[in-house]
Amino acid sequence: MSNWTGVLELDMESRQGRTVAKNVYFQGAFKVMRPVYHNNYSYPCYYLLNPGGGYLDGDTYRMSVSLDEEAQLTLTTQSSTKVYKTPKSYVYQETEFHLKKNSYLEYLPDALIAYENAKYVQKNIVHMEKGATLLYSDIVTPGWSPEGKQFSYDTLRLKSEIYMDNELVAFDHIKLQPEQQHMTGLGFMEGYTHLGSFIVIGEKTNEALLDRLYEAIQEDSSDFAFGLSKLAVPGFTVRIMANRTQIIERIITTCHQIICDEWYQTKPSFLRKY
Amino acid sequence: MTDNALSLFQLCDSNFPTGSFSHSFGLETYIQKDIVQDPETFSEWLKVYLHEQLAYADGLAARLVYEALDQDDLEKIWELDRILTVQNLARESRDGTQRMGDRMLNIAESIYEIPILSTYRQRLRNKQSFGHSAIVFTMVGHYLQVEKETTILYYLYSTLVALVQNAVRAIPLGQTAGQKVIYSFQKELKQATDKIMHLDEMDFGVVSPGLELSQMQHERVGIRIFSS
């Protein structure tokens, strides 16, 4: 365990309808701030932060979050995650979520910025029980490079495995290697630079929700491309390509609001960052 | 070509009724957007689809299934059936591969008496597995003792021929232009097979963002002659 650059464990439970932490542990270059109960919600929002300011050569991070039955949690970052050049070894981040029946997790981190020659590998493993709900997003963007290259990072590899009652129900694997791929070309990023994903698993997913999301996204007049599709279990993926982080964030926020409205008749809290 | 390879070649015929004629796997989205409109732009799409999606999914799965059959590791095959299905985040493409897998299994079962095919069928019936033509094809290739590499190459070829036939109808292209594309892809198919033979299992299921987007977007394109 002590070989990790940063470790974080967060275990949540529901006590008389209010979600509280039963274990918070962090070590090294990984931290959470004190929880915030936005709008007097019955569940907290935790902000993750990386005191080092960014991920460096060979860094390894491990996060493990568990939610007991009925527990609810919002998890986000305080700011974007920066991956700097990794001349020797790639940066690795591993995240495991365990969601018991009727628990609710929204994990909506800020964008990941990969700078020149950065190599980054991320692996997410979600174990959920039927009846649990997951909202997961990620955004990857290229960092500024001195030569003005659009894609100066070396490798971004993002892998997610989602299991429901111990069976694999969704698998996502993106690998971007600008040196070896025709990034701007057909089939790749097709003229865009930023890639966003929003994966939702929830039993209440239906066609009407997907139609509403599709129409709402289409109303946004900025320059982006997106796809929206149902998973093999109740749930869906939204994939977005754009040239600015804000556009992707706005689309994810729109989807988030619609889900909260359709499923819970609530408004999501604005995630204050500064 | 051995007699056995010839038998496997029957499964590569674009008339082999798996229903591949109704699936474009996102190609139709590019046609509707006028991005794919002639043999050159079609070849560009086909190259990316072959090397950046098919190789990492169907191709690598075919190799791993073949190896699992060698070791009689059936659990591994059912795992691959599942991951190969759920890695397809675009619903139409995912449903399409299931339907094609089911039909290929039907025909293969009616031609051959291979125990593993019956087991696969039973699992499909019990909803324990999804069904995928790459897996059925590999089971037949392995049974016929066609070499692993050849089995993969033929599978890729069968997919390619079906897609070219679809492009000929949809873009449209002349039949001769279609045949020229197939001929020009011989080198690409060998390259893809070579890459698959050397891929690490951790590379499974890599998908190229633009291709995937086009497969998701297909659900809502205006005029559709394909179901994916």
Side-chain angles (χ1 to χ4, degrees):
Chain A
M1 277 301 272
S2 57
N3 288 334
W4 297 93
T5 313
V7 174
L8 173 75
E9 284 170 23
L10 190 56
D11 301 318
M12 310 299 295
E13 66 179 348
S14 172
R15 280 187 210 150
Q16 283 102 43
R18 186 177 163 87
T19 300
V20 293
K22 61 174 187 181
N23 171 39
V24 183
Y25 169 81
F26 47 85
Q27 186 209 305
F30 229 174
K31 257 190 184 147
V32 282
M33 302 203 302
R34 270 168 20 100
V36 184
Y37 288 78
H38 285 302
N39 308 335
N40 290 320
Y41 275 8
S42 58
Y43 63 94
C45 173
Y46 274 88
Y47 290 88
L48 298 162
L49 54 125
N50 170 256
Y55 290 6
L56 303 172
D57 203 17
D59 278 0
T60 53
Y61 293 85
R62 183 180 154 75
M63 175 163 81
S64 156
V65 178
S66 78
L67 271 66
D68 281 355
E69 282 191 24
E70 312 289 336
Q72 292 170 280
L73 175 69
T74 301
L75 195 59
T76 185
T77 46
Q78 204 204 17
S79 59
S80 58
T81 300
K82 295 156 190 82
V83 185
Y84 299 108
K85 68 178 169 203
T86 56
K88 290 200 204 81
S89 182
Y90 58 85
V91 167
Y92 178 67
Q93 175 166 311
E94 183 180 284
T95 306
E96 244 185 70
F97 295 119
H98 289 268
L99 311 179
K100 290 242 169 85
K101 204 175 141 198
N102 296 331
S103 63
Y104 172 91
L105 172 70
E106 44 188 43
Y107 177 54
L108 310 166
D110 287 279
L112 180 116
I113 307 173
Y115 286 92
E116 195 166 24
N117 300 324
K119 287 193 281 289
Y120 176 74
V121 177
Q122 173 181 293
K123 188 168 182 191
N124 298 316
I125 302 165
V126 184
H127 283 281
M128 54 200 294
E129 293 181 357
K130 251 201 190 92
T133 303
L134 169 75
L135 275 68
Y136 167 88
S137 74
D138 69 45
I139 305 174
V140 291
T141 76
W144 175 86
S145 102
E147 292 90 33
K149 275 206 298 188
Q150 256 189 340
F151 296 98
S152 61
Y153 56 81
D154 184 290
T155 308
L156 286 180
R157 189 199 279 270
L158 312 167
K159 208 187 238 192
S160 298
E161 296 171 8
I162 303 174
Y163 296 84
M164 187 175 281
D165 291 339
N166 297 316
E167 274 194 316
L168 186 69
V169 293
F171 179 88
D172 184 22
H173 192 175
I174 297 275
K175 187 170 83 169
L176 300 174
Q177 277 183 305
E179 276 293 308
Q180 287 161 50
Q181 298 166 330
H182 183 35
M183 291 298 278
T184 54
L186 186 155
F188 293 97
M189 292 298 288
E190 303 186 347
Y192 295 104
T193 48
H194 294 41
L195 178 67
S197 309
F198 187 46
I199 300 180
V200 174
I201 306 224
E203 281 190 328
K204 295 183 189 167
T205 306
N206 57 24
E207 289 299 332
L209 174 73
L210 262 68
D211 288 345
R212 192 176 159 194
L213 291 169
Y214 186 83
E215 277 160 32
I217 298 171
Q218 272 218 316
E219 272 174 27
D220 194 315
S221 59
S222 42
D223 182 21
F224 65 93
F226 80 104
L228 165 67
S229 199
K230 237 158 85 173
L231 292 168
V233 288
F236 62 89
T237 312
V238 185
R239 198 86 85 179
I240 309 141
M241 301 195 294
N243 290 317
R244 286 172 51 220
T245 304
Q246 292 79 356
I247 295 174
I248 299 176
E249 282 176 345
R250 191 166 66 227
I251 293 167
I252 291 173
T253 303
T254 300
C255 295
H256 187 193
Q257 281 167 350
I258 291 173
I259 291 165
C260 287
D261 179 51
E262 288 264 335
W263 291 356
Y264 310 103
Q265 292 77 49
T266 57
K267 282 199 173 74
S269 49
F270 173 66
L271 302 174
R272 283 163 291 225
K273 307 266 165 136
Y274 307 108
Chain B
M1 190 189 277
T2 63
D3 288 350
N4 282 356
L6 184 60
S7 299
L8 185 60
F9 211 70
Q10 185 184 359
L11 274 66
C12 302
D13 191 326
S14 63
N15 283 322
F16 197 77
T18 59
S20 61
F21 58 82
S22 53
H23 292 281
S24 86
F25 298 105
L27 170 64
E28 190 169 33
T29 310
Y30 286 108
I31 296 173
Q32 291 280 322
K33 290 183 180 171
D34 287 329
I35 294 169
V36 170
Q37 47 183 335
D38 52 26
E40 289 70 39
T41 45
F42 170 61
S43 298
E44 195 188 339
W45 174 83
L46 195 55
K47 248 182 231 178
V48 181
Y49 181 71
L50 171 65
H51 295 297
E52 303 295 332
Q53 187 168 16
L54 205 59
Y56 292 110
D58 300 27
L60 182 53
R63 194 194 97 200
L64 297 171
V65 167
Y66 198 103
E67 289 164 1
L69 286 164
D70 271 344
Q71 287 155 19
D72 212 18
D73 182 0
L74 299 193
E75 275 316 303
K76 178 75 188 172
I77 298 171
W78 314 138
E79 249 174 58
L80 286 161
D81 166 88
R82 178 167 274 278
I83 192 169
L84 188 54
T85 306
V86 302
Q87 58 87 28
N88 224 328
L89 298 183
R91 175 179 55 81
E92 291 182 339
S93 296
R94 184 175 63 241
D95 291 351
T97 61
Q98 264 179 271
R99 239 169 283 143
M100 286 164 58
D102 186 60
R103 291 176 73 167
M104 183 177 271
L105 182 55
N106 267 343
I107 312 159
E109 268 189 296
S110 67
I111 300 176
Y112 298 102
E113 275 183 34
I114 309 176
I116 186 97
L117 291 180
S118 319
T119 314
Y120 200 16
R121 165 60 60 202
Q122 197 54 48
R123 290 186 61 90
L124 256 63
R125 228 175 256 141
N126 297 345
K127 302 212 180 301
Q128 292 164 300
S129 288
F130 296 91
H132 199 290
S133 38
I135 296 179
V136 179
F137 193 98
T138 308
M139 285 171 171
V140 176
H142 188 268
Y143 170 79
L144 293 169
Q145 294 175 317
V146 175
E147 274 178 38
K148 178 164 64 180
E149 210 166 332
T150 312
T151 303
I152 298 167
L153 178 68
Y154 282 16
Y155 176 77
L156 297 179
Y157 177 81
S158 72
T159 307
L160 177 103
V161 169
L163 288 167
V164 170
Q165 285 311 323
N166 290 346
V168 163
R169 281 190 293 133
I171 294 176
L173 304 176
Q175 286 289 354
T176 310
Q179 290 305 319
K180 280 167 78 177
V181 172
I182 295 175
Y183 179 74
S184 73
F185 264 75
Q186 286 187 7
K187 190 178 74 193
E188 303 289 338
L189 289 170
K190 290 218 176 77
Q191 258 175 25
T193 307
D194 204 44
K195 170 166 133 180
I196 292 162
M197 294 299 286
H198 294 98
L199 278 180
D200 194 302
E201 200 176 336
M202 79 170 286
D203 281 317
F204 185 85
V206 169
V207 67
S208 199
L211 287 181
E212 188 192 55
L213 229 62
S214 73
Q215 290 161 2
M216 291 181 169
Q217 287 171 348
H218 187 267
E219 292 175 27
R220 294 173 196 255
V221 295
I223 309 157
R224 297 156 45 105
I225 61 170
F226 298 107
S227 325
S228 78

